[in-house]
Amino acid sequence: MSRSYGSGGLGHPGSPVHTGAELRCPHGGRVAAASAAGAGAHARSAVRMDGLPLMTAADVHTVSGCGHTDGGRPSPCTSVRWSANGGRDAVTVDGAPVLLDTAASRAQCLSNALLPQGAPLVAGSGPGTAQQGVVCR
């Protein structure tokens, strides 16, 4: 059985973030997500938006190409730690909270020494973008 939900119809602020969204650190580095369950787990996910699997707080997010420096020394962002929407009403996939574009303001890009270096930026989601909605199989 398939059910479709528009991005605003779930009673939660923000839009779900799928694996095709463009995520960047505040210094221009590219954020990539890999499923915490293994490399092929995203492809097997039954919950999709615009035909792509949704990202969850359980996914591992790495950063490449960050040119940030601190005092003239390279200090690139290397990972992102998300504070996903929690609580009993949170939308989850396999028990992990789905990431919303508004959750980026509560996320942190981290250096290799795990020092916070700013919030990630989510492009291609939010008001004014064409989204087909969420489909659950």
Side-chain angles (χ1 to χ4, degrees):
M1 173 181 170
S2 291
R3 293 190 71 182
S4 296
Y5 301 92
S7 60
L10 295 172
H12 295 278
S15 297
V17 178
H18 59 66
T19 57
E22 181 180 337
L23 303 173
R24 300 242 173 228
C25 78
H27 317 104
R30 181 172 162 27
V31 178
S35 174
H42 276 311
R44 294 186 302 271
S45 177
V47 183
R48 296 172 177 268
M49 183 173 77
D50 296 337
L52 298 167
L54 295 180
M55 283 193 231
T56 71
D59 295 333
V60 176
H61 296 85
T62 59
V63 181
S64 62
C66 175
H68 181 62
T69 60
D70 185 15
R73 297 177 136 186
S75 180
C77 297
T78 58
S79 64
V80 179
R81 183 168 296 154
W82 292 81
S83 296
N85 295 354
R88 64 185 183 109
D89 294 331
V91 175
T92 61
V93 173
D94 293 331
V98 170
L99 296 182
L100 302 178
D101 56 359
T102 54
S105 65
R106 293 184 309 275
Q108 277 295 317
C109 293
L110 303 171
S111 69
N112 201 34
L114 301 178
L115 297 173
Q117 302 197 130
L121 309 171
V122 180
S125 60
T129 60
Q131 295 181 347
Q132 297 172 1
V134 178
V135 177
C136 301
R137 290 186 266 151

